[in-house]
Amino acid sequence: MQRLVVAPLSHREKSPAMRATSLALPLLLAAACSGDGGGPRPITQSREVDVTPGRDKVGATSADRFGSMSGGGHAGATAKATPELVWDNPPGWTELPPNSMRTANLKPAGHPDAECYLSLLPGGAGGLVDNVNRWRKQMSLPPIDAEAVKALPKQKLLGLDAVRVDLTGAFAGMAEGPGKADFQLIGLLTTFGDQSIFVKMTGPAAVITAEAANFDRFVASLELLQPADAAARRGSGANASPTASGGPEGGAPAGGAAAGAGTASAPAPGADGRVSATNQGIRFTGPIGWTADAPRATRVVTLRPPGTKQTECVVSVLGGDGGGLSGNVDRWRGQLGLGPLAAAEFAALPRVTLAGRDGVQLDLLGALDDAMTARKLPQARLLGAIALLEGKSLFVKLTGPEAEVDEAVKNGFLELCASLAE
Amino acid sequence: MGLLKKLYALLSSYGLAALLLVFLLLLTWLGTLEQVEFGLYETQKKYFESLFLIHEAGPFAVRLPFSDPAKGPLMTIPAFPVPLPGVYLLLSLLVVNLVLGGMVRLRKDRSRAGILITHFGILFMLAAGFVEFRWSHEGVLQVFPQERSRDYYSYHEWDITVRDADATGRVREHVIPSEEWRELAPGATHRFTHDALPFDVLVTKTFRNCRVVPQGPMFKGDGAVIDGYVVLDSKPEMEQEFNVPGAYLTIAEKTTGRQTDAIVWGRQMQPLTVDAGGKRWLIDLGKRRHELPFDIQLDKFIVEFHPGTSMARTYWSNITKFDGGQQTAMKITMNEPLRHQGYTLFQTNWGPQDGNLDQPLYSVFTVVENPSDQWPKWSCYVIAVGLLLHFSLRLKKYVASTRRPAPAPAAPKS
């Protein structure tokens, strides 16, 4: 005769209702005890602490405080400089502006349908097997199991063993439906600390096959260096992207308020009330009264017009054509919810001289939603200027609430543009 | 019988004592099981430091032995909540029960002197537990050779601190302890103020364990994006000391009313800088710092390994204690802690443990400030004396009864 056995199941099998019930009491108690009731609470505790000069960085930026790897360090840890990712652009490849998902963003062989980028994602980002299968799905290929993933070849990436995939198929990307036939994807995946690292090159199979050696060259050139070493390598021709930044316009303060806005090493106005300096090979002189934020690795300078709270003006430089004039005009228009320009409209844009070169000028209105810097303004005005210099691109971008960006600010913007020189 | 008498009879009864002991046994069992899944810290809070709790029982699978597991259970009983008293409440009642039943109500005569002393010893032990629970601190002190320190950091508690950014030397910092902001209900705000500060600190959202990352389009953060960064809430770790809290703050200037949003995080590498009132201020979130009333200097750390392995056989620290004008050379080993001025320093770890012994090794001490540190030992002595006395008296009584002449057998009936 068989007996009944009552066995406990694992806690993971517990119902959400049970969880809700068990959480209800503490939440109710917390709700009852919290809120603003009773007004401000006095800070009653204090203590003395020994502070040596230079122990903490006053005016640290968010990148200084959090980095981008979001690992390492602990409370009270000695400050460490954020390492920078550096690499060499393979011959014939052009560099696009990085964004928050693409720390390195390249266009192999300048082909319009080819792209190659490096991404850093927090955590496991879904795991190795799922990511390999995500890429296979993008190439319209069936998934493979963990054993098959384990058997994939390995390649060194930043000194780590990364899994290499080389797929040919119909590339659908993240879109649904039939993909572009006869495409190829070469990718590397690995983890570093609590980050996942991806390098992915896609494009027509003929282009990607031809560029495979350049892909390997690009991967082999990748290094994480301390800023001083990165600067030295950059001086020898390498490209660099601080891992903490989101790109040439990355990491801008959300407002004019002081939190996180560095002041310790910000360029100070001269006796004439103008901020003037040379950075990244670009000399600038700000209009009278305009103040500068602390330098950021991907910006020549960030300036703020007097009397404004949320307006900022960023001058930045990128290697190569930076994605091209029309591409960047359309990108900025997109940030304001505006569509791309037709060729005739682009040709009709007003011109401006930047560092002695002819460039385009923009004056746009709309709701700003810049995913790169997470900057959002409901009624914004964008003043922009872009010019292609010798081997690099120069960007000047002023954004702020429409009410703040008046003619005086625009005159200052044009004055700043006129001051730029190599 | 009056209500008070009934209450007195109930609180001093054997029945209540037995019931409390059964519940204590049950909670010890449930807490031990729960610890496997939720870790020591959470389980202690829920089962042993609470007045009441809700235990999640089940779910249970009802099966037939030797049945095919692939066919699944006969039926599944879903999880259900079981309200229980917490150990804190049970021990409080046990104290009342012991005082009333084991001391007040107990007949006071020579034969029960041992029981009375034993009950006093148990109460003394319970008092030691209460004092430790309420007033003890525990933390970690890490020191390198020839380094002198008196600071130790809490394992579990975090503080938001505010101080003048430009002051150096001995600086006073204002402290907002985690007890005042960590249990923030969704949508609620706690506003903290101090006369010496030109701004108020509003805590608008808190995270028990989180990461701060640059905002990207492929994931959604768990709060507002500030300066391109956002907080990602993380599942709490089983071991509380691995949790890294974070909070969204709003800095509200008192004179201008200007408000600035910011993020503070337990692993931030630099404090937040705030310009307000014509000065610069630093706001940090860090583990709670305590200070010893004396200094410790590590003279040498020594570790010995089992032959041919990297497993430590023993390790100890030669230290110098600086207290006032006095210097005392001492040795702290795993089983020989330093006890001084109510503090106990245990040798608990060392580092770096990456096998490179060419680097200077630092020593790690667990520091415990516990006013009742030695009370459990003394209470054990009291209990031992009480039991010894009680059993001695019982033995004496038994021996006396065996020496008493046996009653004469009754004369046979004729």
Side-chain angles (χ1 to χ4, degrees):
Chain A
M1 183 182 149
Q2 289 188 323
R3 287 183 300 128
L4 280 176
V5 177
V6 180
L9 297 172
S10 84
H11 279 264
R12 277 189 288 276
E13 294 173 78
K14 286 178 180 174
S15 67
M18 177 66 232
R19 289 275 174 208
T21 308
S22 63
L23 285 171
L25 184 61
L27 275 178
L28 281 173
L29 286 172
C33 299
S34 60
D36 241 349
R41 301 170 175 213
I43 300 172
T44 55
Q45 294 189 27
S46 68
R47 64 185 171 219
E48 289 192 326
V49 56
D50 289 319
V51 178
T52 50
R55 191 189 81 163
D56 297 310
K57 182 175 179 181
V58 180
T61 64
S62 293
D64 293 333
R65 296 175 56 222
F66 305 126
S68 71
M69 301 298 272
S70 296
H74 52 83
T78 305
K80 290 179 182 172
T82 306
E84 294 182 17
L85 190 67
V86 292
W87 66 89
D88 296 324
N89 283 340
W93 288 28
T94 51
E95 188 180 356
L96 302 178
N99 58 42
S100 53
M101 287 302 291
R102 299 182 178 193
T103 306
N105 195 7
L106 302 163
K107 194 168 275 298
H111 194 284
D113 286 338
E115 60 181 8
C116 178
Y117 57 86
L118 180 146
S119 300
L120 298 169
L121 288 178
L128 183 62
V129 176
D130 285 350
N131 276 298
V132 168
N133 284 325
R134 182 169 58 84
W135 283 357
R136 290 184 64 84
K137 186 181 175 188
Q138 289 176 5
M139 297 301 289
S140 311
L141 297 171
I144 56 175
D145 60 18
E147 283 302 309
V149 171
K150 203 173 171 183
L152 288 170
K154 304 289 189 296
Q155 182 173 342
K156 286 290 181 191
L157 171 60
L158 291 167
L160 306 163
D161 279 329
V163 170
R164 180 185 173 107
V165 295
D166 190 340
L167 311 170
T168 305
F171 179 64
M174 284 182 274
E176 295 293 331
K180 299 174 186 173
D182 202 19
F183 260 57
Q184 189 174 355
L185 181 156
I186 298 177
L188 299 174
L189 308 89
T190 190
T191 56
F192 174 68
D194 58 356
Q195 293 276 319
S196 295
I197 307 174
F198 304 85
V199 183
K200 180 182 176 188
M201 178 169 74
T202 57
V207 176
I208 299 305
T209 302
E211 294 299 324
N214 275 337
F215 175 83
D216 292 340
R217 192 175 296 150
F218 164 65
V219 170
S221 74
L222 284 163
E223 272 189 297
L224 265 176
L225 298 176
Q226 289 301 313
D229 298 329
R233 190 172 160 195
R234 206 165 32 234
S236 68
N239 294 44
S241 174
T243 55
S245 81
E249 298 140 26
T263 55
S265 54
D272 59 354
R274 297 176 187 270
V275 176
S276 183
T278 301
N279 190 14
Q280 299 180 21
I282 299 295
R283 182 160 50 83
F284 66 89
T285 302
I288 293 173
W290 287 39
T291 55
D293 282 1
R296 297 180 187 218
T298 52
R299 297 180 176 185
V300 173
V301 69
T302 306
L303 293 167
R304 296 178 185 279
T308 63
K309 290 181 178 176
Q310 293 177 279
T311 300
E312 66 172 16
C313 183
V314 177
V315 181
S316 54
V317 175
L318 278 180
D321 70 358
L325 287 181
S326 63
N328 279 293
V329 166
D330 288 343
R331 183 169 64 86
W332 284 355
R333 288 179 60 83
Q335 290 171 1
L336 287 162
L338 305 172
L341 291 179
E345 291 172 313
F346 177 77
L349 283 175
R351 313 302 290 187
V352 65
T353 300
L354 293 182
R357 303 298 178 105
D358 181 51
V360 293
Q361 185 186 333
L362 293 173
D363 189 345
L364 308 171
L365 295 175
L368 177 70
D369 186 355
D370 184 353
M372 193 180 291
T373 58
R375 183 167 161 79
K376 292 184 180 181
L377 294 168
Q379 285 183 296
R381 184 174 182 185
L382 184 154
L383 304 177
I386 310 170
L388 298 179
L389 311 184
E390 191 68 38
K392 58 190 173 188
S393 309
L394 180 57
F395 301 81
V396 187
K397 181 183 180 188
L398 183 147
T399 53
E402 193 181 339
E404 285 187 2
V405 185
D406 53 18
E407 284 310 296
V409 171
K410 183 168 184 177
N411 290 337
F413 169 79
L414 294 173
E415 190 181 341
L416 172 67
C417 290
S419 78
L420 295 173
E422 281 189 277
Chain B
M1 196 177 190
L3 187 64
L4 277 177
K5 281 189 176 178
K6 281 184 181 171
L7 187 65
Y8 174 74
L10 173 70
L11 289 175
S12 60
S13 66
Y14 277 119
L16 177 64
L19 186 69
L20 292 173
L21 292 174
V22 166
F23 267 116
L24 284 171
L25 195 66
L26 175 70
L27 285 165
T28 304
W29 179 61
L30 292 175
T32 306
L33 294 180
E34 193 90 349
Q35 185 189 328
V36 176
E37 192 169 357
F38 295 100
L40 183 62
Y41 182 84
E42 279 304 304
T43 305
Q44 275 189 327
K45 290 269 177 208
K46 181 177 175 182
Y47 287 83
F48 301 102
E49 297 175 6
S50 59
L51 291 173
F52 296 98
L53 62 110
I54 295 175
H55 175 75
E56 296 176 22
F60 298 102
V62 182
R63 307 174 191 277
L64 292 171
F66 315 117
S67 60
D68 182 2
K71 291 182 179 173
L74 278 180
M75 62 177 293
T76 300
I77 302 170
F80 53 92
V82 181
L84 289 170
V87 168
Y88 189 91
L89 175 65
L90 293 173
L91 289 181
S92 303
L93 287 172
L94 189 64
V95 168
V96 175
N97 180 258
L98 260 179
V99 170
L100 296 181
M103 301 193 80
V104 177
R105 190 174 168 180
L106 187 74
R107 202 172 67 223
K108 316 288 187 305
D109 59 26
R110 189 166 164 269
S111 68
R112 286 175 170 77
I115 297 177
L116 202 63
I117 293 170
T118 303
H119 285 171
F120 176 75
I122 297 172
L123 282 170
F124 192 18
M125 187 177 278
L126 290 169
F130 179 73
V131 170
E132 182 181 4
F133 171 65
R134 285 289 289 114
W135 289 289
S136 75
H137 300 292
E138 187 173 317
V140 62
L141 186 154
Q142 178 178 310
V143 61
F144 277 90
Q146 307 312 316
E147 188 186 11
R148 192 166 153 173
S149 178
R150 59 169 53 202
D151 295 338
Y152 66 99
Y153 294 86
S154 170
Y155 284 113
H156 308 301
E157 303 300 338
W158 296 75
D159 292 329
I160 293 172
T161 57
V162 185
R163 70 174 173 86
D164 184 343
D166 297 308
T168 55
R170 197 75 174 155
V171 176
R172 180 156 294 278
E173 64 181 12
H174 304 282
V175 180
I176 308 173
S178 56
E179 292 87 337
E180 297 192 25
W181 50 264
R182 68 182 167 202
E183 302 293 347
L184 193 65
T189 296
H190 285 340
R191 187 184 192 107
F192 297 94
T193 189
H194 192 282
D195 289 343
L197 297 178
F199 55 85
D200 289 346
V201 178
L202 281 73
V203 182
T204 56
K205 193 168 188 176
T206 61
F207 301 85
R208 189 172 154 208
N209 188 30
C210 65
R211 294 147 41 82
V212 178
V213 296
Q215 172 65 58
M218 297 293 281
F219 59 87
K220 187 176 178 299
D222 295 292
V225 178
I226 296 177
D227 199 10
Y229 285 80
V230 71
V231 178
L232 286 183
D233 199 8
S234 303
K235 184 185 170 194
E237 297 286 341
M238 256 183 63
E239 303 305 328
Q240 166 69 7
E241 49 266 44
F242 295 138
N243 287 324
V244 183
Y248 278 95
L249 306 181
T250 299
I251 310 302
E253 283 193 56
K254 290 177 180 172
T255 51
T256 64
R258 186 178 70 163
Q259 296 202 339
T260 307
D261 294 329
I263 298 171
V264 288
W265 186 40
R267 278 176 111 180
Q268 63 190 18
M269 291 177 280
Q270 295 292 343
L272 169 74
T273 304
V274 171
D275 289 321
K279 290 176 78 174
R280 298 186 297 182
W281 304 85
L282 294 179
I283 300 181
D284 209 351
L285 172 59
K287 285 194 167 177
R288 182 166 303 162
R289 190 179 67 85
H290 298 283
E291 203 170 84
L292 290 168
F294 51 91
D295 283 7
I296 291 292
Q297 177 181 294
L298 179 65
D299 299 324
K300 192 170 186 184
F301 177 79
I302 298 118
V303 56
E304 292 178 358
F305 296 93
H306 288 286
T309 73
S310 58
M311 187 185 297
R313 185 171 64 84
T314 184
Y315 50 93
W316 70 90
S317 299
N318 291 333
I319 59 125
T320 301
K321 173 169 65 70
F322 295 84
D323 190 2
Q326 287 194 327
Q327 296 182 25
T328 316
M330 307 186 79
K331 178 180 171 184
I332 303 178
T333 72
M334 285 187 282
N335 296 319
E336 293 172 38
L338 162 66
R339 285 194 162 86
H340 187 62
Q341 290 200 33
Y343 293 85
T344 310
L345 275 73
F346 298 92
Q347 177 78 64
T348 46
N349 209 342
W350 55 278
Q353 296 191 8
D354 57 3
N356 184 0
L357 295 179
D358 295 333
Q359 295 178 34
L361 298 177
Y362 60 82
S363 187
V364 180
F365 303 107
T366 292
V367 182
V368 180
E369 183 197 9
N370 179 12
S372 62
D373 178 38
Q374 297 289 300
W375 293 11
K377 184 172 78 178
W378 298 335
S379 68
C380 284
Y381 293 155
V382 173
I383 292 168
V385 168
L387 290 175
L388 197 64
L389 178 62
H390 179 68
F391 289 128
S392 299
L393 291 172
R394 298 293 293 178
L395 183 64
K396 187 180 171 189
K397 191 176 176 184
Y398 171 73
V399 170
S401 68
T402 55
R403 285 183 180 169
R404 219 174 286 151
K413 290 181 181 173
S414 57

PDB file of all heavy atoms in Angstrom, chain B residues 304-321:
ATOM      1  N   GLU B 304      50.736  31.608   9.055  1.00  0.00           N
ATOM      2  CA  GLU B 304      51.422  30.339   8.789  1.00  0.00           C
ATOM      3  C   GLU B 304      50.460  29.423   8.063  1.00  0.00           C
ATOM      4  O   GLU B 304      49.286  29.331   8.427  1.00  0.00           O
ATOM      5  CB  GLU B 304      51.866  29.688  10.108  1.00  0.00           C
ATOM      6  CG  GLU B 304      52.975  30.465  10.810  1.00  0.00           C
ATOM      7  CD  GLU B 304      53.371  29.825  12.132  1.00  0.00           C
ATOM      8  OE1 GLU B 304      52.751  28.804  12.517  1.00  0.00           O
ATOM      9  OE2 GLU B 304      54.294  30.360  12.778  1.00  0.00           O
ATOM     10  N   PHE B 305      50.979  28.744   7.031  1.00  0.00           N
ATOM     11  CA  PHE B 305      50.125  27.897   6.201  1.00  0.00           C
ATOM     12  C   PHE B 305      50.361  26.422   6.505  1.00  0.00           C
ATOM     13  O   PHE B 305      51.434  26.032   6.972  1.00  0.00           O
ATOM     14  CB  PHE B 305      50.416  28.163   4.716  1.00  0.00           C
ATOM     15  CG  PHE B 305      50.087  29.558   4.294  1.00  0.00           C
ATOM     16  CD1 PHE B 305      51.038  30.568   4.300  1.00  0.00           C
ATOM     17  CD2 PHE B 305      48.794  29.887   3.907  1.00  0.00           C
ATOM     18  CE1 PHE B 305      50.734  31.856   3.923  1.00  0.00           C
ATOM     19  CE2 PHE B 305      48.480  31.174   3.522  1.00  0.00           C
ATOM     20  CZ  PHE B 305      49.450  32.169   3.534  1.00  0.00           C
ATOM     21  N   HIS B 306      49.355  25.630   6.207  1.00  0.00           N
ATOM     22  CA  HIS B 306      49.558  24.191   6.244  1.00  0.00           C
ATOM     23  C   HIS B 306      50.591  23.860   5.172  1.00  0.00           C
ATOM     24  O   HIS B 306      50.545  24.435   4.064  1.00  0.00           O
ATOM     25  CB  HIS B 306      48.242  23.455   5.973  1.00  0.00           C
ATOM     26  CG  HIS B 306      47.279  23.544   7.115  1.00  0.00           C
ATOM     27  ND1 HIS B 306      47.431  22.832   8.280  1.00  0.00           N
ATOM     28  CD2 HIS B 306      46.140  24.275   7.272  1.00  0.00           C
ATOM     29  CE1 HIS B 306      46.440  23.113   9.112  1.00  0.00           C
ATOM     30  NE2 HIS B 306      45.634  23.991   8.529  1.00  0.00           N
ATOM     31  N   PRO B 307      51.522  22.954   5.468  1.00  0.00           N
ATOM     32  CA  PRO B 307      52.609  22.700   4.516  1.00  0.00           C
ATOM     33  C   PRO B 307      52.090  22.348   3.121  1.00  0.00           C
ATOM     34  O   PRO B 307      51.187  21.524   2.970  1.00  0.00           O
ATOM     35  CB  PRO B 307      53.346  21.511   5.142  1.00  0.00           C
ATOM     36  CG  PRO B 307      52.988  21.550   6.578  1.00  0.00           C
ATOM     37  CD  PRO B 307      51.625  22.119   6.664  1.00  0.00           C
ATOM     38  N   GLY B 308      52.639  23.012   2.132  1.00  0.00           N
ATOM     39  CA  GLY B 308      52.300  22.703   0.744  1.00  0.00           C
ATOM     40  C   GLY B 308      50.940  23.187   0.299  1.00  0.00           C
ATOM     41  O   GLY B 308      50.476  22.819  -0.776  1.00  0.00           O
ATOM     42  N   THR B 309      50.271  23.996   1.110  1.00  0.00           N
ATOM     43  CA  THR B 309      48.942  24.484   0.727  1.00  0.00           C
ATOM     44  C   THR B 309      48.892  26.000   0.914  1.00  0.00           C
ATOM     45  O   THR B 309      49.813  26.597   1.474  1.00  0.00           O
ATOM     46  CB  THR B 309      47.822  23.870   1.586  1.00  0.00           C
ATOM     47  OG1 THR B 309      47.880  24.460   2.895  1.00  0.00           O
ATOM     48  CG2 THR B 309      47.971  22.354   1.695  1.00  0.00           C
ATOM     49  N   SER B 310      47.825  26.582   0.423  1.00  0.00           N
ATOM     50  CA  SER B 310      47.605  28.009   0.672  1.00  0.00           C
ATOM     51  C   SER B 310      46.543  28.200   1.746  1.00  0.00           C
ATOM     52  O   SER B 310      45.935  29.256   1.835  1.00  0.00           O
ATOM     53  CB  SER B 310      47.175  28.686  -0.633  1.00  0.00           C
ATOM     54  OG  SER B 310      46.004  28.061  -1.127  1.00  0.00           O
ATOM     55  N   MET B 311      46.317  27.141   2.534  1.00  0.00           N
ATOM     56  CA  MET B 311      45.321  27.219   3.597  1.00  0.00           C
ATOM     57  C   MET B 311      45.999  27.657   4.899  1.00  0.00           C
ATOM     58  O   MET B 311      46.992  27.042   5.325  1.00  0.00           O
ATOM     59  CB  MET B 311      44.660  25.856   3.782  1.00  0.00           C
ATOM     60  CG  MET B 311      43.494  25.884   4.761  1.00  0.00           C
ATOM     61  SD  MET B 311      42.869  24.215   5.023  1.00  0.00           S
ATOM     62  CE  MET B 311      42.306  23.800   3.392  1.00  0.00           C
ATOM     63  N   ALA B 312      45.499  28.742   5.473  1.00  0.00           N
ATOM     64  CA  ALA B 312      46.142  29.275   6.677  1.00  0.00           C
ATOM     65  C   ALA B 312      45.960  28.312   7.842  1.00  0.00           C
ATOM     66  O   ALA B 312      44.845  27.850   8.113  1.00  0.00           O
ATOM     67  CB  ALA B 312      45.559  30.634   7.013  1.00  0.00           C
ATOM     68  N   ARG B 313      47.085  28.014   8.513  1.00  0.00           N
ATOM     69  CA  ARG B 313      47.006  27.173   9.716  1.00  0.00           C
ATOM     70  C   ARG B 313      46.702  28.047  10.926  1.00  0.00           C
ATOM     71  O   ARG B 313      45.884  27.731  11.747  1.00  0.00           O
ATOM     72  CB  ARG B 313      48.332  26.443   9.894  1.00  0.00           C
ATOM     73  CG  ARG B 313      48.340  25.438  11.033  1.00  0.00           C
ATOM     74  CD  ARG B 313      49.602  24.598  11.004  1.00  0.00           C
ATOM     75  NE  ARG B 313      50.805  25.387  11.221  1.00  0.00           N
ATOM     76  CZ  ARG B 313      51.280  25.731  12.424  1.00  0.00           C
ATOM     77  NH1 ARG B 313      50.657  25.337  13.514  1.00  0.00           N
ATOM     78  NH2 ARG B 313      52.376  26.441  12.534  1.00  0.00           N
ATOM     79  N   THR B 314      47.372  29.151  10.987  1.00  0.00           N
ATOM     80  CA  THR B 314      47.113  30.108  12.054  1.00  0.00           C
ATOM     81  C   THR B 314      47.597  31.477  11.600  1.00  0.00           C
ATOM     82  O   THR B 314      48.442  31.581  10.706  1.00  0.00           O
ATOM     83  CB  THR B 314      47.812  29.706  13.361  1.00  0.00           C
ATOM     84  OG1 THR B 314      47.449  30.626  14.393  1.00  0.00           O
ATOM     85  CG2 THR B 314      49.324  29.694  13.198  1.00  0.00           C
ATOM     86  N   TYR B 315      47.033  32.489  12.152  1.00  0.00           N
ATOM     87  CA  TYR B 315      47.510  33.843  11.852  1.00  0.00           C
ATOM     88  C   TYR B 315      47.228  34.741  13.042  1.00  0.00           C
ATOM     89  O   TYR B 315      46.281  34.515  13.801  1.00  0.00           O
ATOM     90  CB  TYR B 315      46.884  34.396  10.574  1.00  0.00           C
ATOM     91  CG  TYR B 315      45.385  34.317  10.446  1.00  0.00           C
ATOM     92  CD1 TYR B 315      44.572  35.368  10.842  1.00  0.00           C
ATOM     93  CD2 TYR B 315      44.779  33.184   9.901  1.00  0.00           C
ATOM     94  CE1 TYR B 315      43.202  35.307  10.695  1.00  0.00           C
ATOM     95  CE2 TYR B 315      43.404  33.117   9.751  1.00  0.00           C
ATOM     96  CZ  TYR B 315      42.617  34.173  10.147  1.00  0.00           C
ATOM     97  OH  TYR B 315      41.262  34.102  10.005  1.00  0.00           O
ATOM     98  N   TRP B 316      48.082  35.729  13.228  1.00  0.00           N
ATOM     99  CA  TRP B 316      47.913  36.629  14.349  1.00  0.00           C
ATOM    100  C   TRP B 316      48.531  37.985  14.037  1.00  0.00           C
ATOM    101  O   TRP B 316      49.273  38.122  13.056  1.00  0.00           O
ATOM    102  CB  TRP B 316      48.492  36.034  15.622  1.00  0.00           C
ATOM    103  CG  TRP B 316      49.988  35.935  15.680  1.00  0.00           C
ATOM    104  CD1 TRP B 316      50.859  36.869  16.160  1.00  0.00           C
ATOM    105  CD2 TRP B 316      50.788  34.837  15.236  1.00  0.00           C
ATOM    106  NE1 TRP B 316      52.147  36.423  16.040  1.00  0.00           N
ATOM    107  CE2 TRP B 316      52.143  35.177  15.491  1.00  0.00           C
ATOM    108  CE3 TRP B 316      50.509  33.597  14.657  1.00  0.00           C
ATOM    109  CZ2 TRP B 316      53.189  34.324  15.176  1.00  0.00           C
ATOM    110  CZ3 TRP B 316      51.566  32.748  14.356  1.00  0.00           C
ATOM    111  CH2 TRP B 316      52.882  33.104  14.605  1.00  0.00           C
ATOM    112  N   SER B 317      48.214  38.958  14.883  1.00  0.00           N
ATOM    113  CA  SER B 317      48.707  40.319  14.687  1.00  0.00           C
ATOM    114  C   SER B 317      49.460  40.760  15.930  1.00  0.00           C
ATOM    115  O   SER B 317      48.949  40.611  17.051  1.00  0.00           O
ATOM    116  CB  SER B 317      47.551  41.284  14.450  1.00  0.00           C
ATOM    117  OG  SER B 317      46.838  40.931  13.293  1.00  0.00           O
ATOM    118  N   ASN B 318      50.636  41.268  15.706  1.00  0.00           N
ATOM    119  CA  ASN B 318      51.350  41.958  16.786  1.00  0.00           C
ATOM    120  C   ASN B 318      51.002  43.432  16.670  1.00  0.00           C
ATOM    121  O   ASN B 318      51.236  44.058  15.623  1.00  0.00           O
ATOM    122  CB  ASN B 318      52.859  41.764  16.651  1.00  0.00           C
ATOM    123  CG  ASN B 318      53.262  40.325  16.917  1.00  0.00           C
ATOM    124  OD1 ASN B 318      52.574  39.593  17.649  1.00  0.00           O
ATOM    125  ND2 ASN B 318      54.352  39.886  16.333  1.00  0.00           N
ATOM    126  N   ILE B 319      50.411  43.964  17.710  1.00  0.00           N
ATOM    127  CA  ILE B 319      49.938  45.353  17.642  1.00  0.00           C
ATOM    128  C   ILE B 319      50.475  46.160  18.823  1.00  0.00           C
ATOM    129  O   ILE B 319      50.938  45.595  19.820  1.00  0.00           O
ATOM    130  CB  ILE B 319      48.393  45.424  17.653  1.00  0.00           C
ATOM    131  CG1 ILE B 319      47.816  44.780  18.931  1.00  0.00           C
ATOM    132  CG2 ILE B 319      47.797  44.724  16.442  1.00  0.00           C
ATOM    133  CD1 ILE B 319      46.921  45.692  19.675  1.00  0.00           C
ATOM    134  N   THR B 320      50.353  47.457  18.676  1.00  0.00           N
ATOM    135  CA  THR B 320      50.610  48.346  19.817  1.00  0.00           C
ATOM    136  C   THR B 320      49.342  49.140  20.061  1.00  0.00           C
ATOM    137  O   THR B 320      48.768  49.701  19.123  1.00  0.00           O
ATOM    138  CB  THR B 320      51.777  49.318  19.527  1.00  0.00           C
ATOM    139  OG1 THR B 320      52.943  48.547  19.229  1.00  0.00           O
ATOM    140  CG2 THR B 320      52.045  50.200  20.728  1.00  0.00           C
ATOM    141  N   LYS B 321      48.905  49.108  21.304  1.00  0.00           N
ATOM    142  CA  LYS B 321      47.699  49.852  21.686  1.00  0.00           C
ATOM    143  C   LYS B 321      48.135  51.182  22.301  1.00  0.00           C
ATOM    144  O   LYS B 321      48.979  51.204  23.212  1.00  0.00           O
ATOM    145  CB  LYS B 321      46.883  49.025  22.682  1.00  0.00           C
ATOM    146  CG  LYS B 321      45.697  49.754  23.291  1.00  0.00           C
ATOM    147  CD  LYS B 321      44.798  48.797  24.036  1.00  0.00           C
ATOM    148  CE  LYS B 321      45.454  48.184  25.241  1.00  0.00           C
ATOM    149  NZ  LYS B 321      45.691  49.123  26.345  1.00  0.00           N
TER     150      LYS B 321
END
